[in-house]
């Protein structure tokens, strides 16, 4: 009799406890810590043909390790003089576990493009997709999405872009969350 009374008093408490979801796993955070880019600058005083590039430094957790140390690496793409900068195919970063591209569906121009990273985690090809739009909006200094500062300095020089703002006075870091995918986006 006592067992039945105890069981009926515990049952209402047991079902809400079992119904609680498992703790969600935090999405890994990837940080672009620096960016350097050079692009052609059209016009009478610009430099319409130049070796162009985008160099990105990124830090992220090593998910293959149990204590998740931070990995720092660089990723680069470039275009020879006379070639218009634009979207790129996947390329490996300095740490070959990470891949990088400027996807076609995110390219608007040299001061407005999307960067995408891929970190393959398993042999079946699944991994983490990390992406962010980088823009320059000199007319709106309060735009939270305007991470880049781009400037053509003097006559006959290319357009240069960084994350540090005018004269390197404002350090910027782009924080990106990763999403798990079953395969690398094409």
């Amino acid at each position: 009799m006592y067992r039945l009374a105890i069981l009926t008093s515990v049952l209402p408490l047991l079902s809400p406890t079992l119904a609680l979801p498992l703790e969600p796993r935090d999405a890994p955070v990837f940080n672009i810590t620096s960016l350097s880019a050079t692009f052609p600058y059209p016009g009478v005083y610009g430099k319409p043909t130049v070796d162009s590039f985008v160099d990105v430094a990124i830090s992220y957790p090593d998910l293959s390790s149990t204590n998740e140390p931070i990995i720092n690496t660089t990723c680069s793409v470039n275009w020879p003089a006379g070639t218009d900068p634009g979207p790129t195919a996947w390329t490996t970063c300095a740490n070959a576990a990470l891949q990088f591209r400027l996807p076609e569906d995110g390219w608007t121009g040299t001061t407005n493009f999307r960067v995408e990273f891929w970190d393959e985690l398993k042999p079946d090809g699944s991994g983490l997709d990390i992406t962010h739009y980088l823009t320059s909006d000199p007319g709106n200094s309060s735009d939270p999405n305007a991470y880049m500062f781009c400037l053509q300095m003097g006559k006959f020089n290319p357009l240069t872009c960084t994350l540090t703002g005018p004269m390197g006075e404002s350090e910027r870091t782009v924080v990106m969350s990763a999403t798990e995918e079953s395969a690398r986006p094409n």
Side-chain angles (χ1 to χ4, degrees), residues 109-176:
T110 56
T111 60
N112 187 355
F113 54 87
R114 182 166 64 104
V115 293
E116 187 171 23
F117 302 90
W118 175 255
D119 186 12
E120 189 169 302
L121 299 177
K122 297 181 183 172
D124 67 359
S126 62
L128 298 175
D129 185 39
I130 309 96
T131 186
H132 204 288
Y133 278 94
L134 299 177
T135 63
S136 174
D137 189 358
N140 183 5
S141 60
S142 63
D143 181 354
N145 296 315
Y147 286 95
M148 290 191 302
F149 176 75
C150 298
L151 182 66
Q152 190 260 345
M153 296 175 43
K155 292 181 180 181
F156 314 115
N157 284 312
L159 181 69
T160 59
C161 300
T162 65
L163 289 182
T164 59
M167 310 305 178
E169 66 188 34
S170 59
E171 290 290 325
R172 306 276 318 252
T173 298
V174 180
V175 178
M176 306 173 294

Side-chain angles (χ1 to χ4, degrees), residues 26-34 56-75 91-100 116-121 127-131 173-179:
D26 291 337
V29 173
F30 287 64
N31 296 313
I32 295 177
T33 55
S34 72
V56 176
I58 187 167
S59 65
Y60 61 100
D62 181 1
L63 300 174
S64 63
S65 173
T66 55
N67 59 356
E68 292 189 22
I70 299 297
I71 295 174
N72 295 300
T73 191
T74 56
C75 307
T91 183
T92 53
C93 296
N95 178 341
L98 193 67
Q99 296 179 38
F100 168 68
E116 187 171 23
F117 302 90
W118 175 255
D119 186 12
E120 189 169 302
L121 299 177
L128 298 175
D129 185 39
I130 309 96
T131 186
T173 298
V174 180
V175 178
M176 306 173 294
S177 293
T179 57

Side-chain angles (χ1 to χ4, degrees), residues 70-88:
I70 299 297
I71 295 174
N72 295 300
T73 191
T74 56
C75 307
S76 300
V77 293
N78 56 51
W79 304 266
T83 304
D84 288 334
T88 63

